[in-house]
Amino acid sequence: MRASQIFIPTLKETPAEAELISHQLLLRGGFIRRLASGLYTWMPLGLRVLRQVERVVREEMNRSGAQELLMPVVQPAELWQESGRWEEYGPELLRLQDRHHRDFCLGPTYEEVISDLVRREIHSYRQLPVNFYQIQTKFRDEIRPRFGLMRGREFIMKDAYSFHMDHASLEATYQSMYEAYQRTFTRLGLNFRAVEADNGVIGGKRSHEFHVLADSGEDAIASCHHCDYAANLEKARSRPAPAETETPRAAERVRTPGIHTVAGQAEHLGISTAKIVKTILVVADGKTVMLLLRGDDELNLVKAGHALDARDLRIASPEEAVSATGVPLGFIGPKEPPLPVPILADQRALSVVNFSTGANAEDLHWIHLNWDRDLPRPPAADLRNVRAGDACPHCAEGTLGIRRGIEVGHVFQLGERYSKRMGITVLDETGRDATVTMGCYGIGVSRVVAAAVEQHFDDRGILWPMALAPFAVGIVAINARKSPEVAAAAQGLHDRLEAAGYSVLLDDREERPGVQFATMDLIGLPHRIVVSDKVLAQDVWEYRARRATENMLLDETQLMDHLRKEHFRG
């Protein structure tokens, strides 16, 4: 294709609203344009990249045995009311009415729609297992859309849903989809990591997220340096700390006037924050609960929610904390609280010897308290965020590191959550009704585009992996309008390369060479070939890979051999 025949509206300046490098470069390279907050138009070049992602995703889904269909963007409210998510899903669900005042929503996900389809169409165990997928537009009314394609309101997603007679069948498909995702992201040229994850609002019991590793990622993931253990920070565990062995000292109450923070308490008492057991008051489904953590640890609200079996969990307000305990904030502790409040402790807090905590009176703290001797041990759970350097829970030698990741895929074992709520049954081998079990598998197709840029760029522009590039090869024809020889040679090379199976962009614009080179660098095509009177006189082509710093002069045989090797490698 000629550059003069495709609309590539590049920008010299970075738009002010673009914070992440992917947002900046996709706007500057003319791949996308903003319509409204969280809404983007895919320009011709960007759509080519998006279609590349879709192609690889579709090929791997088909290879896994999944069957493609396409479901409506607009979904009737009664399906969401039946599943219980019409109110549960919250304000991200964009609700609307038709002219007959019937309620609908724009689909953020499709568990309800596919469940309705299957209960209408699948009636016998002989029709299972089955796995359906689609690549479709989704809409989630994000409270604060940001970072371009990374967190928009409208996005393109591949979602798949499998149905089974038993857990063994679900496990087999789950593993097949896990492997399909690994192949997909490997083929797309992404540096990624699969990690254990929390199921969140989707539901179910087992899931894995697939993260593109990038410093700009919103998610923190923990992984072992020695084994293959990896998990989202919401789910990550560490090996329990051994109990401290120092000799218990005599407990005493000490004055701590105006000390309301862990750091202030440690400084005032001359102790480490690890020797403090701090109290955090939370409200779990309307009930106040006291959580105990070591002073140097951070509360993980997702873990706490699971430990308390709470659907709604939040930190108590200062007024709620004082009302529930009768004690000013900063001085609340687990030893003889004035008002009865349920207590749950993190496992590490129970291993501390000679610890300090609030004395349930203003300006007073305990020091040198010990479990069992001075106060009973409360129930224990894993409530903390793991930290870099923690011992791996899966192997004896490893320690955990923390990296940032961009979630681009998620696989779930949903079990019977939706099939029970929506009455998805089939006749089993005995002729009786049996509830099916489900799996769910998503890939953020449009997010993959942004995540790839976050991982592949330099100071000149994008460095597309081969599988994602809008064109594999860019040809820069210098002064083609003035030199018939250059124009003819460039067109001939273009045609031969396309005949060999490469997608090619021929820059035939009336621009200075510097502008042409800058455009090629900005839009990130993997291979660049320069055609000029100078190189034609030498009967060679001037070649440079986008990631290279030096030009190579190659004859046509050498060029074709080199492209074949690099294309296959890419």
Side-chain angles (χ1 to χ4, degrees):
M1 179 175 284
R2 290 172 174 265
S4 58
Q5 297 172 335
I6 182 172
F7 186 52
I8 308 177
T10 59
L11 302 173
K12 291 183 179 180
E13 302 297 327
T14 299
E17 76 272 13
E19 299 177 53
L20 291 189
I21 194 69
S22 60
H23 196 190
Q24 296 171 8
L25 292 178
L26 289 170
L27 286 171
R28 286 189 54 217
F31 293 88
I32 60 173
R33 283 295 180 264
R34 182 180 183 272
L35 173 64
S37 178
L39 304 176
Y40 289 87
T41 296
W42 289 87
M43 304 301 282
L45 212 59
L47 189 59
R48 291 181 69 95
V49 178
L50 186 70
R51 295 291 184 248
Q52 293 281 67
V53 181
E54 290 179 358
R55 175 184 59 81
V56 173
V57 169
R58 185 171 278 113
E59 288 174 0
E60 291 300 338
M61 288 301 99
N62 294 341
R63 178 180 171 186
S64 75
Q67 302 176 62
E68 186 172 8
L69 44 67
L70 188 63
M71 293 176 277
V73 173
V74 178
Q75 304 181 12
E78 52 262 31
L79 291 181
W80 284 74
Q81 291 161 350
E82 189 177 353
S83 72
R85 292 207 297 173
W86 184 251
E87 298 300 334
E88 283 178 10
Y89 205 89
E92 286 187 5
L93 186 66
L94 184 62
R95 298 161 173 84
L96 62 151
Q97 289 187 333
D98 67 7
R99 67 177 67 192
H100 304 291
H101 304 292
R102 291 176 298 210
D103 290 323
F104 292 84
C105 65
L106 293 186
T109 183
Y110 278 74
E111 285 80 10
E112 285 78 7
V113 176
I114 196 68
S115 295
D116 182 64
L117 177 71
V118 168
R119 70 183 175 183
R120 292 171 185 266
E121 304 293 336
I122 304 293
H123 306 293
S124 169
Y125 75 95
R126 297 181 186 276
Q127 296 172 277
L128 299 179
V130 65
N131 189 6
F132 295 115
Y133 80 94
Q134 66 171 350
I135 298 175
Q136 173 64 294
T137 297
K138 312 295 191 299
F139 189 94
R140 295 176 187 170
D141 199 6
E142 294 276 356
I143 189 171
R144 191 166 65 90
R146 59 196 187 278
F147 306 147
L149 301 179
M150 203 70 74
R151 188 165 292 280
R153 292 193 292 170
E154 182 182 280
F155 53 95
I156 308 296
M157 183 176 177
K158 188 284 301 180
D159 47 322
Y161 307 90
S162 64
F163 298 83
H164 311 267
M165 283 299 296
D166 53 39
H167 182 76
S169 174
L170 170 59
E171 183 64 40
T173 296
Y174 185 88
Q175 185 61 34
S176 174
M177 294 296 282
Y178 182 96
E179 292 169 359
Y181 276 38
Q182 288 187 310
R183 293 194 302 269
T184 297
F185 298 126
T186 298
R187 286 182 59 187
L188 291 172
L190 301 173
N191 180 18
F192 70 95
R193 190 74 186 261
V195 304
E196 294 179 9
D198 184 74
N199 283 38
V201 70
I202 295 294
K205 297 188 179 300
R206 185 184 178 203
S207 71
H208 285 83
E209 291 173 350
F210 291 78
H211 285 264
V212 168
L213 302 178
D215 292 339
S216 58
E218 288 188 287
D219 294 305
I221 58 176
S223 59
C224 179
H225 297 111
H226 186 76
C227 72
D228 62 358
Y229 175 74
N232 188 298
L233 197 63
E234 294 176 344
K235 185 86 171 180
R237 297 169 290 113
S238 61
R239 195 182 322 141
E244 297 177 357
T245 57
E246 66 185 75
T247 303
R249 301 172 63 181
E252 59 178 310
R253 291 204 306 177
V254 295
R255 282 190 52 76
T256 50
I259 302 298
H260 294 272
T261 66
V262 167
Q265 183 181 342
E267 182 179 2
H268 183 80
L269 298 175
I271 60 175
S272 163
T273 55
K275 282 295 189 180
I276 293 173
V277 171
K278 63 183 177 183
T279 301
I280 300 174
L281 273 293
V282 297
V283 179
D285 294 335
K287 183 179 181 181
T288 303
V289 180
M290 183 185 296
L291 303 181
L292 306 178
L293 284 88
R294 216 171 77 172
D296 57 341
D297 282 333
E298 180 182 346
L299 174 65
N300 184 312
L301 278 172
V302 173
K303 289 182 179 179
H306 288 309
L308 296 170
D309 195 23
R311 292 174 62 183
D312 179 49
L313 183 72
R314 59 179 174 81
I315 303 293
S317 68
E319 295 76 18
E320 288 171 324
V322 173
S323 174
T325 63
V327 179
L329 276 181
F331 304 99
I332 301 170
K335 180 174 171 58
E336 300 170 355
L339 299 175
V341 179
I343 301 175
L344 182 65
D346 179 70
Q347 297 160 157
R348 296 221 317 174
L350 296 181
S351 68
V352 185
V353 174
N354 295 324
F355 62 87
S356 172
T357 193
N360 292 313
E362 189 169 4
D363 295 341
L364 287 175
H365 281 85
W366 284 102
I367 193 168
H368 304 149
L369 280 183
N370 286 278
W371 300 110
D372 302 324
R373 185 193 71 179
D374 301 309
L375 71 169
R377 290 175 180 266
D382 180 9
L383 303 176
R384 64 184 283 272
N385 283 329
V386 300
R387 297 201 303 260
D390 283 354
C392 175
H394 277 202
C395 70
E397 298 85 3
T399 57
L400 300 180
I402 307 294
R403 298 193 65 178
R404 306 302 299 181
I406 301 167
E407 183 189 345
V408 292
H410 206 156
V411 292
F412 302 85
Q413 289 189 8
L414 295 177
E416 297 181 346
R417 169 173 174 168
Y418 295 95
S419 50
K420 278 187 174 179
R421 289 186 179 187
M422 302 193 69
I424 311 176
T425 62
V426 297
L427 295 179
D428 64 14
E429 293 180 343
T430 67
R432 297 178 179 177
D433 283 340
T435 301
V436 304
T437 188
M438 290 177 60
C440 171
Y441 321 91
I443 290 178
V445 174
S446 50
R447 181 180 278 197
V448 164
V449 176
V453 177
E454 290 295 325
Q455 204 171 66
H456 299 280
F457 70 93
D458 62 14
D459 58 356
R460 301 195 306 275
I462 300 172
L463 300 162
W464 289 117
M466 183 68 72
L468 285 169
F471 295 93
V473 181
I475 298 176
V476 176
I478 296 179
N479 294 323
R481 298 296 173 93
K482 297 179 180 179
S483 173
E485 293 80 12
V486 167
Q491 185 64 52
L493 179 60
H494 169 279
D495 295 345
R496 292 192 298 278
L497 287 171
E498 288 213 326
Y502 301 101
S503 57
V504 184
L505 178 65
L506 169 56
D507 190 348
D508 60 338
R509 298 173 299 161
E510 289 190 71
E511 293 283 3
R512 291 179 291 105
V515 173
Q516 293 177 295
F517 295 151
T519 298
M520 285 294 177
D521 285 343
L522 178 59
I523 66 177
L525 307 189
H527 307 288
R528 186 189 78 188
I529 302 168
V530 175
V531 182
S532 66
D533 288 319
K534 180 180 178 180
V535 297
L536 290 179
Q538 301 176 64
D539 198 24
V540 293
W541 305 110
E542 183 180 299
Y543 167 83
R544 181 189 289 192
R546 175 62 181 85
R547 297 174 185 269
T549 57
E550 300 293 335
N551 295 331
M552 300 170 64
L553 295 178
L554 305 173
D555 64 31
E556 184 139 344
T557 300
Q558 292 171 325
L559 176 65
M560 291 299 186
D561 287 344
H562 185 79
L563 287 176
R564 262 194 303 273
K565 292 175 184 177
E566 292 300 313
H567 195 74
F568 178 75
R569 183 183 303 169

